[in-house]
């Protein structure tokens, strides 16, 4: 059974940093078209934060551009989200996502989510 497990969340003061990790079982990240981080704040819809493709093309939402960095390890089993200069509005549950868009072998997996709270 495929699992995506997030870690690294917690409470941080405004201006601080956190690094989230998403570890995948099996070859999920090697087979996915892209791996992404989403977040859902209180009473908000889930939104895309950052994504990385197999070619290491990265994409960021305007709200985090210049502050967050998505990357992968060299075994392609862990994807990171380095979050710097955190703001209270970054408070949310962060989810890891891996997707492959293929008619027969396609998939979409989600992690269980991890809380990030930015508060003084």
């Amino acid at each position: 059974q495929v699992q995506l497990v997030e870690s690294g969340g917690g409470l941080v003061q405004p201006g601080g940093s956190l690094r989230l990790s998403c570890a995948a079982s099996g070859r999920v990240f090697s087979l996915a078209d892209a791996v992404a981080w989403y977040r859902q704040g209180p009473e908000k819809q889930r939104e895309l934060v950052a994504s990385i493709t197999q070619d290491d093309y990265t994409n960021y939402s305007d709200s985090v551009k210049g502050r967050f960095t998505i990357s992968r390890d060299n075994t392609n089993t862990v994807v990171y989200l380095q979050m710097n200069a955190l703001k209270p509005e970054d408070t949310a549950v962060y989810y890891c996502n891996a997707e492959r868009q293929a008619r027969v072998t396609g998939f979409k997996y989600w992690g269980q989510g991890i809380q990030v709270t930015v508060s003084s």
Side-chain angles (χ1 to χ4, degrees):
Q1 185 175 355
V2 172
Q3 282 191 311
L4 303 183
V5 179
E6 299 103 335
S7 61
L11 173 65
V12 63
Q13 291 187 341
S17 297
L18 282 175
R19 188 176 79 159
L20 303 183
S21 299
C22 177
S25 59
R27 299 175 56 232
V28 172
F29 288 166
S30 298
L31 297 172
D33 295 320
V35 179
W37 286 95
Y38 286 76
R39 68 185 180 187
Q40 187 165 13
E43 300 182 3
K44 294 182 180 179
Q45 290 190 332
R46 191 173 295 189
E47 62 173 353
L48 176 66
V49 175
S51 63
I52 185 167
T53 68
Q54 287 296 341
D55 297 327
D56 288 336
Y57 174 81
T58 57
N59 183 54
Y60 299 92
S61 69
D62 288 342
S63 62
V64 307
K65 202 169 292 183
R67 299 188 297 122
F68 290 13
T69 303
I70 189 170
S71 63
R72 64 170 87 246
D73 75 331
N74 57 9
T75 66
N76 208 8
T77 58
V78 183
V79 169
Y80 304 101
L81 185 68
Q82 178 67 43
M83 305 185 295
N84 299 327
L86 282 161
K87 305 175 181 179
E89 50 264 43
D90 294 318
T91 295
V93 177
Y94 284 70
Y95 297 90
C96 181
N97 163 273
E99 288 192 39
R100 176 181 171 88
Q101 295 182 356
R103 192 163 61 91
V104 176
T105 60
F107 56 78
K108 181 185 289 188
Y109 298 118
W110 291 94
Q112 80 285 357
I114 191 162
Q115 179 70 45
V116 171
T117 301
V118 184
S119 175
S120 54

